[in-house]
């Protein structure tokens, strides 16, 4: 009997305050999330792979300028866009990731290619872009990544001399997790990192075990938040281990990781996770998290603030 | 009552065959390992920190041309030396790492500085080197990293068109783990990666949770082996979780990770680990692993092959 499919996506967690949101802006974000969800869901509905669904959903979010990934990536200290992404297949535990990549339109497609067409898991910097070029992936000029909004964020951060997450502590990394009809899970994460970042700073998004993890036996996870704390907490794999070794259920384990362990370490953020039993977990300890989710045969959900 | 100190170091695992070793070469390797062990032990004996002991031991191994880290780092595809290192404190779970770093004499010192003097955990590429320079860390010219032996390995790998681990499947990453008199543990790992590597490939050594992990509650771990499999298996943190969530002892958990889980995933290699109870684990599933260890009040041990 085929599994019921599930899909969840996020567009980042953080201090998303109702007071700063216009009804129009909120509606536009909700629509972008639902569009990405539907693109991924169409693949799952037709019996496609979880891996294809999470990649397609993340591509859609990368192509949307609202989120800090792909087109909407923030500016680094020297005015560049350095992006990170990772993807993992729960069936084979194969994984691919790229960090500090410039000029590649869809970093998540590059991560997928690293997984499937290289002997490696993680490629960084100009070498990763060279690999993308050799693989024929679409490139994009600096103008493609330019937006007045991000540019202004960068100017403000530079003037104040700070390295910061997306404006006002929004960690608008994007991600997707899915379980397909075949009972396989997958996870994908993509980000532009910190506004005004320098020294080649890399966060948790391209790191298997920290920002992304997938294993059919346990769950698929994509994280968003204070990257340094997610790296130190090895958060994505921590969730998997609580299920595998401690026997916790997905929902309980996800809440425990984000509300207890991650807060104790000091990190703000959230995660999205699914297992092969139809469970979906969307915990966060920040003010809000852009998120959408769907379970086969049920209506899709979309939310920004706490419910 | 103060804890008894422990210290273990490795100079890499792999296919180290007795037939390829001369008595002279073997003796030189054993001496280099014991020298590094004694440098770290001196710090622990005087009541110093585990963090200082592992850094000092790894520096000593980085300064020795026998091992693929620091001075002895292998050549990349374009004739450079790109090094990765990471360090973690078990008391605070603070961590620092650097990847794809060129021209820094001791990458482990840079990882320590990232941990203590930056807001970040992981810095990559030229930015990491810029940070090292601003921090006043010692740099070294390309000649410093040159050795006829490594150059020849690179020529052979280039001619055969392969990206490979240190010659004949030796993964001669270096690492150290320690528990100090105060009951705190720490772990450090450093590597030059793969001979003839390209595309900015990064392995498990600079990744917290994969190549390095430390937590007073569980253990301190440093891994060596087929980096891609250690990344996918999140091996260092897996060991910690088996202790924390499954209640396994250090020795049992370390054997299980390397002999069962890691082999099932496909990866060859080993790890060194200590806990705060005086236990030391040194499992590997390859032919050999360069290693040395000492427990307070006992004689130091050094070994290359299976015992």
């Amino acid at each position: 009997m085929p599994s019921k499919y599930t899909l969840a996506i996020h567009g980042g967690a953080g201090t998303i305050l109702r007071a700063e949101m216009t009804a129009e802006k909120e509606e536009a974000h909700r629509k972008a999330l639902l569009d990405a969800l539907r693109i991924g869901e169409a693949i799952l509905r037709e019996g496609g792979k979880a891996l294809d669904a999470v990649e397609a959903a993340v591509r859609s979010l990368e192509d949307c300028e609202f989120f800090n990934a792909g087109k909407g990536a923030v500016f680094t200290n020297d005015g560049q866009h350095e992006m990170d992404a990772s993807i993992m297949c729960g069936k084979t535990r194969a994984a691919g990731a790229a960090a500090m990549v410039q000029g590649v339109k869809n970093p998540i497609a590059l991560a997928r290619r690293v997984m499937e067409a290289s002997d490696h898991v993680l490629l960084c910097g100009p070498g990763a872009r060279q690999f993308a070029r050799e693989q024929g992936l679409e490139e994009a000029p600096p103008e493609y990544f330019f937006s007045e909004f991000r540019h202004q964020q960068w100017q403000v951060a530079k003037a104040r001399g700070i390295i910061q997450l997306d404006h006002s502590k929004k960690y608008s990394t994007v991600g997707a997790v899915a379980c397909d009809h075949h009972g396989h899970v997958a996870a994908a994460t993509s980000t532009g990192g910190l506004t005004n970042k320098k020294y080649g700073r890399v966060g948790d998004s391209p790191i298997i075990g920290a920002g992304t993890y997938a294993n059919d036996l346990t769950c698929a996870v994509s994280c968003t938040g204070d990257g340094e704390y997610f790296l130190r907490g090895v958060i994505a794999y921590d969730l998997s281990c609580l299920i595998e070794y401690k026997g916790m259920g997905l929902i309980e384990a996800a809440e425990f990781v984000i509300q207890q362990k991650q807060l104790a370490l000091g990190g703000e953020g959230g995660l999205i996770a699914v297992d092969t039993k139809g469970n979906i977990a969307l915990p966060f300890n920040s003010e809000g998290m852009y998120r959408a989710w769907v379970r086969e045969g049920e209506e899709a959900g979309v939310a920004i603030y706490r419910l």
Side-chain angles (χ1 to χ4, degrees), chain A residues 24-91:
Chain A
E24 205 173 35
K25 206 168 139 193
E26 188 174 322
E27 193 44 42
H29 277 81
R30 293 167 69 96
K31 184 179 175 311
L33 288 166
L34 280 175
D35 285 350
L37 190 77
R38 288 197 175 115
I39 286 167
E41 189 185 6
I43 292 168
L44 296 170
R45 194 186 300 115
E46 288 163 26
K49 287 185 194 173
L51 204 54
D52 293 327
V54 297
E55 183 189 347
V58 166
R59 281 178 84 115
S60 171
L61 294 166
E62 283 178 341
D63 292 343
C64 171
E65 65 178 22
F66 297 157
F67 306 104
N68 176 18
K71 184 169 175 50
V74 297
F75 283 83
T76 64
N77 182 258
D78 54 357
Q80 307 293 319
H81 302 277
E82 265 176 14
M83 300 168 287
D84 307 324
S86 63
I87 193 164
M88 188 163 185
C89 169
K91 180 186 176 190

Side-chain angles (χ1 to χ4, degrees), chain A residues 4-5 11 18 44 60 75 134-135 139 158 160 189 211 214 281 285 294:
Chain A
K4 282 201 172 187
Y5 70 73
R18 281 179 209 264
L44 296 170
S60 171
F75 283 83
E134 290 177 18
Q135 290 289 317
E139 296 185 71
K158 272 211 302 192
R160 294 172 58 197
T189 309
N285 58 38
V294 66

Side-chain angles (χ1 to χ4, degrees), chain A residues 110-191:
Chain A
L110 171 54
R112 176 86 184 258
R113 213 58 76 89
V114 171
M115 179 178 114
E116 294 182 341
S118 87
D119 293 330
H120 305 309
V121 169
L122 176 57
L123 301 183
C124 295
R129 185 178 187 176
Q130 186 192 331
F131 176 76
R133 191 170 292 156
E134 290 177 18
Q135 290 289 317
L137 292 179
E138 195 173 351
E139 296 185 71
E143 309 87 82
Y144 173 79
F145 299 99
F146 183 91
S147 82
E148 195 47 51
F149 169 64
R150 295 291 185 206
H151 193 261
Q152 209 177 330
Q153 283 185 346
W154 174 45
Q155 297 302 326
V156 169
K158 272 211 302 192
R160 294 172 58 197
I162 51 169
I163 294 170
Q164 67 177 16
L165 291 150
D166 185 13
H167 212 59
S168 325
K169 285 201 104 178
K170 286 189 201 81
Y171 317 90
S172 52
T173 296
V174 307
V177 292
C179 177
D180 63 28
H181 269 311
H182 316 287
H184 302 308
V185 299
T189 309
S190 181
T191 191

